[in-house]
Amino acid sequence: MVNHPADNPLNLRSHGQPPSKITDFLWIGNAYDALDERFVVDNIHEVVLVGGWHPPLMFPGVAYVHYPLPQPFGTMLPRAQTVVERLQYNHTREIPTLLVCWGGIDRAPTLALKFLKDCLSMSWARAEAKIKKKRPVAVPHRDWWTGKVKKK
């Protein structure tokens, strides 16, 4: 596992949290997980990046797909839906996939939430519970899909 710097302000809540296996073919992770050569090479065939960054290195034999998304998705909702369709495509073909956003807390879990709901026919509540059980630091946002984002 890659050493997650404890003082990284963008990653404090997911510090030390390894990638979370959500289904047999889908993991959620953060930027550091995409750089973990042992984990990626041994387990993953495709890394789906949804942050605004691209990893400085890529590993041979692993496909990388980049869909930059803001938080919340807002006008980029069609692109977010494309990511969900990509996850479904990979899942039906049993392609081990690592879904990565910067912290592994908001965007990746929110995309996984929609994937579980739409593609695996889970209710919002069941999908959210599954993600939270597998990745306790996750904050999946169902409201990002409706466009009615709650004010904090």
Side-chain angles (χ1 to χ4, degrees):
M1 186 168 79
V2 169
N3 183 24
H4 295 226
D7 62 349
N8 181 341
L10 296 175
N11 199 30
L12 285 176
R13 291 199 356 224
S14 62
H15 166 69
Q17 170 98 30
S20 303
K21 190 172 186 179
I22 305 302
T23 71
D24 288 343
F25 303 103
L26 178 63
W27 285 258
I28 294 174
N30 60 33
Y32 296 101
D33 299 323
L35 302 175
D36 185 341
E37 183 174 17
R38 174 174 279 163
F39 171 76
V40 172
V41 170
D42 289 351
N43 298 287
I44 301 300
H45 292 172
E46 183 170 290
V47 176
V48 177
L49 305 150
V50 296
W53 59 277
H54 205 279
L57 56 106
M58 296 183 213
F59 305 115
V62 178
Y64 291 80
V65 184
H66 191 206
Y67 298 95
L69 288 167
Q71 293 179 209
F73 301 146
T75 60
M76 300 299 279
L77 203 54
R79 181 179 290 171
Q81 186 59 46
T82 299
V83 174
V84 172
E85 291 165 7
R86 180 71 181 215
L87 298 177
Q88 181 178 21
Y89 175 90
N90 288 357
H91 197 267
T92 58
R93 285 157 186 80
E94 300 182 353
I95 299 169
T97 303
L98 175 61
L99 177 61
V100 176
C101 61
W102 183 247
I105 295 171
D106 291 297
R107 284 171 285 195
T110 298
L111 291 158
L113 177 73
K114 182 76 164 165
F115 164 75
L116 293 174
K117 181 190 175 297
D118 289 0
C119 305
L120 299 185
S121 303
M122 289 186 186
S123 67
W124 285 115
R126 185 168 168 232
E128 186 171 354
K130 181 176 180 100
I131 290 168
K132 293 292 287 177
K133 180 178 181 185
K134 302 282 186 167
R135 191 166 186 82
V137 298
V139 183
H141 300 276
R142 142 182 6 178
D143 58 327
W144 288 11
W145 293 104
T146 64
K148 298 176 184 173
V149 178
K150 298 173 190 169
K151 302 288 183 201
K152 292 184 180 183

